[in-house]
Amino acid sequence: MTRAAVVAAVGAALPASVVSNEDLTARLDTTDEWIRSRTGITRRHVAAAEESTADLAVRAAAQALTSGEPDHVDTLVLATTTPDRCCPATAPAVATRLGLTGIPAFDLAAGCTGFLYALATGAGLIAAATARTVLVIGADRLASLPHPHDRTTVPLFGDGAGALLLRHGTAGKPGALGPVVLGSDGTGADLIRADHPGALHMDGADVFRRAVDRMTTASRQAATAAGWDLGDVDRLVPHQANSRITSFVARQLGVPDGRQLSNVAEVGNTGAASIPLLLARASSDGRLKPGHRTLLTAFGAGLTWGALTLTWPDLTRTHRLEGAPA
Ligand code: UT7
């Protein structure tokens, strides 16, 4: 039996404050119709000034820990493009606030693909028997990156966090992560860039084309690596950047609309939080059910991209996890 990382619990956190498209039209030269038709977004959650990436990460992770009930967590990986400070990393503070002082905890920056990179890292630690349980968090405050008056970027982004608890298990079983496909291309580094908060620049049209291309290719590769036909996919969970991008990807993969999960209308593009927020939402509202063959894919700044498969596990029962590192 091959050792693999298995999803044991999910958690999610969104800031209380909601900014609707109508709210934006009061301060930007835009319309609800433009934002909806070009992006699919109707509102987004935006963190208060004093609400940090760590605050969101702690809330999402605490939910995953409460439902997963691990006896011990061996490693914490925090995917984020918006750490609280340049130095130190945000992850150790998050770990300490969760009562996990002493374990390895580190940030991982891979743009909106960060969560898939972090899952791959956690899965690798488990496969190598370096860890038995890994807490993987994606948390971002992307709404802080655009210039407040830039109508081309402000409507796109929201804040949030999501978390998955991974435990050691057996490859091929429900919840086990399949082979991960990851990639990057630094020649596109300037296409999405921010030297500091409030200075985001994005070449939207070029990013759009590349996002469709890379997510489609990575999804095909991940499905093939897992031995799946694309017709086997019950649920496509793409990074939520823009509903037109995700529809193109689904169409190119031949995944029917009803099998594509989305929450971009309610949260916008939440960066590294996007995929775990969607998994948490869809598993709680029943769109994602135990046994669903699920394909995750993402694309983001870097440029970076990735995809992986898993069969969604039954998370309703309590998982009592074993203690010490292997
Ligand atoms: O997470 C991964 C990173 N990000 C992404 O994946 C985002 C990828 N890109 C996109 O989602 C889309 O390119 C956008 C939503 C950013 C833009 O949509 P688009 O259909 O590519 O529009 P565009 O940039 O080609 O702009 C079309 C027009 C322009 O006007 P002109 O030059 O044709 O007169 C823009 O100035 O729409 C204008 N425009 C707006 N008008 C009203 C741009 N933003 C707005 C706005 N309201 N908010």
Side-chain angles (χ1 to χ4, degrees):
M1 289 193 301
T2 309
R3 189 180 167 103
V6 175
V7 173
V10 296
L14 289 165
S17 171
V18 176
V19 175
S20 69
N21 290 351
E22 287 75 16
D23 295 331
L24 293 181
T25 60
R27 59 183 169 94
L28 290 173
D29 179 18
T30 189
T31 61
D32 172 51
E33 201 281 331
W34 193 97
I35 301 170
R36 264 177 213 264
S37 63
R38 296 293 182 118
T39 70
I41 299 166
T42 61
R43 59 184 184 274
R44 68 289 291 146
H45 292 250
V46 176
E50 68 281 4
E51 196 172 19
S52 67
T53 294
D55 292 337
L56 294 168
V58 166
R59 280 175 51 206
Q63 213 177 72
L65 293 175
T66 299
S67 91
E69 295 191 316
D71 293 335
H72 186 83
V73 174
D74 298 317
T75 302
L76 184 153
V77 188
L78 172 62
T80 185
T81 305
T82 53
D84 290 344
R85 294 184 283 187
C86 290
C87 180
T90 304
V94 170
T96 287
R97 288 173 59 183
L98 292 166
L100 301 173
T101 299
I103 69 166
F106 56 96
D107 290 6
L108 187 157
C112 297
T113 318
F115 193 75
L116 296 189
Y117 272 70
L119 282 182
T121 304
L125 291 169
I126 287 172
T130 303
R132 292 166 69 93
T133 64
V134 179
L135 184 55
V136 179
I137 310 169
D140 264 320
R141 291 178 80 249
L142 292 190
S144 66
L145 293 188
H147 187 282
H149 295 137
D150 180 6
R151 70 173 184 167
T152 68
T153 52
V154 167
L156 308 179
F157 298 106
D159 301 332
L164 291 185
L165 185 69
L166 300 179
R167 65 175 169 81
H168 70 103
T170 306
K173 297 285 186 194
L177 302 184
V180 187
V181 171
L182 298 173
S184 77
D185 176 6
T187 67
D190 282 345
L191 296 177
I192 313 169
R193 64 178 193 274
D195 292 334
H196 52 82
L200 180 72
H201 164 87
M202 183 168 69
D203 183 337
D206 199 356
V207 170
F208 191 113
R209 280 190 296 275
R210 291 174 191 238
V212 171
D213 180 47
R214 292 299 189 180
M215 285 199 280
T216 303
T217 305
S219 294
R220 287 203 174 104
Q221 290 169 339
T224 302
W228 290 11
D229 288 330
L230 286 165
D232 294 337
V233 172
D234 297 309
R235 292 293 178 266
L236 175 65
V237 181
H239 164 55
Q240 299 291 291
N242 179 321
S243 60
R244 287 161 54 222
I245 294 178
T246 53
S247 291
F248 270 114
V249 172
R251 209 171 309 150
Q252 293 201 14
L253 294 174
V255 174
D257 271 352
R259 296 187 183 179
Q260 188 201 150
L261 297 180
S262 177
N263 64 347
V264 74
E266 296 89 37
V267 299
N269 182 345
T270 55
S274 169
I275 284 180
L277 272 176
L278 179 51
L279 290 173
R281 166 59 74 90
S283 72
S284 79
D285 68 20
R287 284 179 292 163
L288 182 58
K289 291 189 169 40
H292 273 153
R293 283 160 301 186
T294 305
L295 175 59
L296 316 181
T297 187
F299 178 88
L303 301 166
T304 57
W305 57 86
L308 70 88
T309 57
L310 78 157
T311 299
W312 193 250
D314 183 356
L315 298 177
T316 51
R317 67 193 176 79
T318 299
H319 295 268
R320 286 262 169 212
L321 306 180
E322 295 161 35

